[in-house]
Amino acid sequence: MKVEDYFNNILKERKMHLTLIDPEEQTSEEALKVATAAIQGGSDGIMLGGSTTDNIELEKTAKTLKENLDVPIILFPGNISGITSHADAIFFMTLLNSTNPYWIIGAQALAAPTIKKMKIEPIPMGYLVIEPGGTVGWVGDAKLVPREKPDIAAAYAMAAELLGMRLFYLEAGSGADKPVPAEMIKRVKRSTNLTLIVGGGIRTGEDARRAAKAGADIIVTGTIVENATNIKEKISEIVKSIRKP
Ligand code: 1GP
């Protein structure tokens, strides 16, 4: 089954959770342990990537995860180095509010021939970086969307929808001290029919629930698995809170 269909089937019934693993943060064996615990906690898939991903680490980790896990492995590339064939799909994304054409369409053009040859499933996605923006905001030369300007985020989402993208990711930046504001999530969700992903700075069940209630379809967390002593329990806290009616 295609990964996008897998998403859409689940989303008919409930919200989803994805765990982001940065291959640079641990060995591939450790990444497998983290991913296994996250899946036991209720994560619906694993995203692999980071703003400064090293392709050698990525290849190793992706291969290990792909051989040992049953949930989809989705690439979340920070650059053209974030591509490997050991994955089920790739978020084929454009950093819409970058001021540098490289991050809007340059990297995508360089990567497209390889992705076509690899035959992994591309999922077209608009990516918008909100204050504080973290490493991705800096690396991606983003003109950060102010937190109190939900209409700006909604306008970008509408443009993404009109351009034919099917997913939209509101990103506060990995490790952000505060997640994307609920009002912004609400405004984006109300303005489009896109599948809405929200991530950056979500650390508790309450944070996740607020984002899901505001309209996020898919919640992404990364940093919490790097810090948690009991990964399964921590992910389960997040997952339960977004599945509550
Ligand atoms: C980063 O949105 C993701 O791209 C996850 O952020 O590491 O803060 O959970 P955190």
Side-chain angles (χ1 to χ4, degrees), residues 20 76 127 169 171 173-176 198-203 220-224:
L20 172 65
F76 181 55
Y127 188 52
Y169 193 133
E171 169 74 270
S174 185
V198 176
I202 295 174
R203 295 206 169 64
V220 176
T221 61
T223 303
I224 53 169

Side-chain angles (χ1 to χ4, degrees), residues 1-242:
M1 188 200 288
K2 287 200 161 192
V3 174
E4 200 175 345
D5 294 334
Y6 166 81
F7 284 0
N8 289 336
N9 284 342
I10 297 178
L11 289 172
K12 277 183 215 151
E13 308 291 332
R14 60 165 173 82
K15 307 277 183 179
M16 289 178 64
H17 177 264
L18 297 175
T19 291
L20 172 65
I21 294 181
D22 186 338
E24 281 192 341
E25 296 292 331
Q26 63 285 294
T27 63
S28 55
E29 292 77 23
E30 282 160 359
L32 178 59
K33 280 191 200 144
V34 169
T36 304
I39 293 159
Q40 286 167 352
S43 248
D44 299 295
I46 302 295
M47 284 164 58
L48 261 189
S51 294
T52 53
T53 306
D54 159 341
N55 189 259
I56 297 169
E57 296 300 329
L58 173 71
E59 283 274 328
K60 249 197 263 167
T61 301
K63 196 164 183 292
T64 305
L65 298 193
K66 184 94 178 77
E67 284 168 0
N68 290 285
L69 300 175
D70 292 329
V71 299
I73 310 296
I74 305 136
L75 301 176
F76 181 55
N79 205 336
I80 54 172
S81 54
I83 303 169
T84 167
S85 58
H86 305 294
D88 299 293
I90 179 167
F91 283 143
F92 196 73
M93 51 210 258
T94 168
L95 206 176
L96 293 168
N97 59 328
S98 180
T99 56
N100 179 346
Y102 177 79
W103 301 111
I104 303 169
I105 191 61
Q108 293 78 354
L110 291 174
T114 309
I115 291 169
K116 287 210 128 192
K117 263 182 228 150
M118 282 179 171
K119 295 189 167 46
I120 52 177
E121 177 189 342
I123 304 178
M125 179 167 93
Y127 188 52
L128 195 69
V129 185
I130 315 303
E131 288 176 339
T135 307
V136 68
W138 188 85
V139 173
D141 302 317
K143 190 169 155 192
L144 301 174
V145 178
R147 296 177 57 80
E148 70 286 3
K149 297 286 180 194
D151 288 346
I152 295 178
Y156 273 102
M158 287 185 251
E161 185 173 50
L162 296 179
L163 284 164
M165 292 162 199
R166 298 188 290 271
L167 275 73
F168 192 73
Y169 193 133
L170 282 173
E171 169 74 270
S174 185
D177 57 357
K178 29 190 191 276
V180 175
E183 186 53 36
M184 189 176 277
I185 298 171
K186 227 182 261 172
R187 206 70 69 87
V188 167
K189 190 62 192 173
R190 249 194 268 134
S191 313
T192 69
N193 288 314
L194 296 163
T195 298
L196 180 56
I197 309 186
V198 176
I202 295 174
R203 295 206 169 64
T204 64
E206 192 41 46
D207 292 340
R209 184 166 168 76
R210 205 175 301 127
K213 276 200 89 170
D217 299 300
I218 303 176
I219 301 291
V220 176
T221 61
T223 303
I224 53 169
V225 293
E226 289 166 21
N227 298 335
T229 41
N230 186 334
I231 293 173
K232 180 180 163 192
E233 214 168 76
K234 189 68 200 169
I235 295 298
S236 165
E237 172 194 330
I238 303 273
V239 166
K240 279 189 193 138
S241 73
I242 62 172

